Amino acid sequence: MKATQYVAHKPGPDGLIHYSTEENAIWQTLVERQRDHLQGRACREYIDGMARLNLPNTHIPQLEEINQVLVPATGWQVSRVPALISFDHFFELLASQRFPVATFIRTREELDYLQEPDIFHEIFGHCPLLTNPAFARFTHTYGQLGLNASPQDRVFLARLYWFTVEFGLLNTPDGRRIYGGGILSSPGETLYAFESSKPEFRRFELLDVLRTPYRIDIMQPIYYVLDSIDELFQIAEMDIMGKIQEAKTLGLFAPTFPPKEKQAS
């Protein structure tokens, strides 16, 4: 695992995590500006999930508050983790219907982008969709597959997660809408996906997704689009591991982005 400057908070003797005034203020800034950006861009299932969670504007919620909504909705719950966790731990959590949430929030210096997923990204970006049965089922299946996959196969699974859970889009009667948490929690990516002429939008095909390279530190050049969130039920029933073996044989598509510049040593 890579090093990180962030340290996740632990509960105090009262069982609660006590965030600072500045941390709560950063949460409020992030929530208020992103809610404005998501008007007319987030999918209906996300909006419904957000209404059910009823997230506070002015302070970071406690994880138990999230669980009180998720558990009766889909059987999921959130689980406190450090800033970074191993792939083994990540898949173990998803396979047991526990979504990892690192209990730290970004600094103002990294307000627009940070590599580590913080509590804002996980709670605001992902948890509303975990109230949806199709999204919840797909994420559970993904965790079960990853738990038993080889390191090589996990690389292919990561592409599936990236182009769905993180950066997935839907076609709806009202137009294209977001369901991926990586977009839902990012003002820059939200505007880029809707107002830029640069990205390419491709119909979701499992084999194509598994063969598509990506970079985590740039705006996405490619988004894969479903026609309905319920398609995630169908994808969960597919022979995903069989498709991974096919993708290995065919090889990856050529990257549609420049290579990452190497830092001078």
Side-chain angles (χ1 to χ4, degrees):
M1 294 185 293
K2 295 181 179 179
T4 175
Q5 65 168 315
Y6 292 103
V7 177
H9 291 287
K10 296 180 180 180
D14 58 0
L16 302 176
I17 295 176
H18 296 276
Y19 296 97
S20 69
T21 300
E22 171 65 0
E23 288 170 323
N24 284 321
I26 290 172
W27 169 271
Q28 182 170 359
T29 296
L30 291 167
V31 168
E32 290 179 348
R33 72 172 186 170
Q34 186 59 357
R35 276 185 168 156
D36 290 341
H37 284 95
L38 292 180
Q39 293 293 326
R41 298 186 176 107
C43 69
R44 171 52 57 186
E45 291 81 4
Y46 175 83
I47 295 170
D48 291 345
M50 187 65 83
R52 295 177 75 169
L53 288 178
N54 193 26
L55 297 178
N57 276 7
T58 58
H59 62 274
I60 301 170
Q62 297 294 318
L63 298 191
E64 183 54 34
E65 296 172 330
I66 307 299
N67 288 340
Q68 288 172 5
V69 177
L70 294 185
V71 172
T74 58
W76 275 81
Q77 57 185 305
V78 290
S79 183
R80 181 177 61 86
V81 298
L84 293 174
I85 61 175
S86 68
F87 287 118
D88 284 342
H89 191 192
F90 175 70
F91 286 115
E92 286 169 2
L93 288 171
L94 296 189
S96 59
Q97 292 183 283
R98 291 180 293 157
F99 199 84
V101 174
T103 48
F104 74 91
I105 196 162
R106 68 195 72 182
T107 63
R108 290 195 182 274
E109 290 72 29
E110 293 191 293
L111 207 61
D112 293 322
Y113 173 80
L114 77 164
Q115 183 170 323
E116 306 94 326
D118 70 346
I119 195 166
F120 174 74
H121 171 80
E122 303 292 26
I123 296 296
F124 188 94
H126 289 303
C127 284
L129 265 298
L130 284 171
T131 65
N132 176 266
F135 186 90
R137 168 66 184 285
F138 172 81
T139 309
H140 185 205
T141 299
Y142 180 86
Q144 291 174 314
L145 293 174
L147 189 61
N148 299 307
S150 68
Q152 295 78 15
D153 289 348
R154 285 179 176 179
V155 174
F156 284 84
L157 281 172
R159 298 188 185 101
L160 176 59
Y161 194 88
W162 188 259
F163 289 112
T164 54
V165 175
E166 291 293 355
F167 288 92
L169 293 169
L170 301 177
N171 281 322
T172 78
D174 297 320
R176 194 176 290 128
R177 294 291 185 267
I178 312 164
Y179 76 93
I183 313 176
L184 289 165
S185 62
S186 169
E189 194 88 28
T190 298
L191 295 177
Y192 175 82
F194 280 82
E195 298 184 2
S196 173
S197 60
K198 294 180 180 179
E200 178 185 353
F201 302 95
R202 298 180 181 176
R203 175 76 181 87
F204 184 97
E205 295 291 344
L206 177 56
L207 186 59
D208 289 348
V209 167
L210 296 172
R211 299 177 63 199
T212 302
Y214 66 88
R215 272 178 57 180
I216 68 171
D217 59 339
I218 60 173
M219 297 295 181
Q220 297 306 299
I222 297 170
Y223 299 102
Y224 281 95
V225 187
L226 300 175
D227 286 331
S228 165
I229 198 75
D230 286 341
E231 281 193 59
L232 291 174
F233 277 130
Q234 301 168 24
I235 297 168
E237 294 295 327
M238 292 180 180
D239 182 9
I240 294 173
M241 301 311 294
K243 287 293 184 182
I244 284 176
Q245 302 314 310
E246 189 175 348
K248 285 181 179 180
T249 300
L250 293 171
L252 300 184
F253 295 130
T256 55
F257 49 81
K260 187 173 183 178
E261 294 183 5
K262 293 183 179 179
Q263 295 182 346
S265 58

